[in-house]
Amino acid sequence: MNFPTTPFPSEISAEDIVSTMSAFKGWEDRYRQVIQWGKKLPKMPDELKAEEVVVAGCESQVWLQSRYEDGKWYFCADSDARIVRGLIALVMAAYNEKSAEEIQSFDINGYFEKLGLIEHLSASRGNGLKAIIETIQATVSKN
């Protein structure tokens, strides 16, 4: 399996994202920024886009792979939708290269509340985002 070693730029942290997003006044600027972060998300290699790694509950196609190594979780995810790739980038900033304890203790709802995004997402996008988060949390709690 050709799992990317750095599936998301580690220099982009959840704290950086909150700081950047809080500087924007309107939803349009936040939306554009989320799409920009999505562009920084490396493309998932096609050989990793298997049917068994499709996240159920997402309107768009979302693939999510994980790897556990040296006490840390690494995720590789992709989507066929630009805004969803951006939302994945936000989740990766919070969860990638973290221990199971760090992932489980991270206040993901508070994080997205600070970003001011959830109320602007369609119900299906919000449900898809929740499905991605739940898949990651279920994965890390199994190990």
Side-chain angles (χ1 to χ4, degrees):
M1 177 169 14
N2 186 17
F3 197 93
T5 52
T6 309
F8 188 65
S10 57
E11 69 273 6
I12 301 174
S13 70
E15 295 78 21
D16 294 336
I17 287 175
V18 169
S19 174
T20 300
M21 293 294 270
S22 64
F24 294 125
K25 299 293 179 237
W27 160 241
E28 294 80 17
D29 292 334
R30 286 186 176 103
Y31 184 86
R32 276 193 291 278
Q33 183 60 56
V34 169
I35 289 175
Q36 288 305 311
W37 279 317
K39 289 178 180 177
K40 293 179 185 292
L41 188 71
K43 294 267 186 221
M44 178 184 267
D46 286 339
E47 66 266 18
L48 295 182
K49 292 181 179 179
E51 188 64 34
E52 61 270 11
V53 299
V54 171
V55 177
C58 295
E59 181 180 299
S60 305
Q61 285 275 75
V62 175
W63 301 271
L64 175 66
Q65 290 268 16
S66 61
R67 181 184 66 182
Y68 183 73
E69 188 176 293
D70 298 327
K72 301 254 186 226
W73 282 95
Y74 298 87
F75 300 96
C76 180
D78 206 347
S79 176
D80 58 357
R82 288 183 326 156
I83 188 65
V84 177
R85 279 181 59 80
L87 295 172
I88 290 169
L90 300 179
V91 173
M92 293 299 107
Y95 286 162
N96 196 49
E97 296 184 48
K98 302 282 192 300
S99 69
E101 295 77 27
E102 289 171 307
I103 292 169
Q104 290 162 338
S105 67
F106 187 82
D107 180 7
I108 196 76
N109 293 327
Y111 171 60
F112 277 102
E113 202 171 287
K114 287 178 191 170
L115 299 180
L117 292 175
I118 301 301
E119 62 271 16
H120 296 286
L121 297 176
S122 66
S124 61
R125 290 271 190 257
N127 289 338
L129 178 61
K130 185 177 176 197
I132 294 165
I133 291 165
E134 287 173 351
T135 300
I136 290 173
Q137 290 174 339
T139 299
V140 303
S141 68
K142 281 188 241 172
N143 295 356

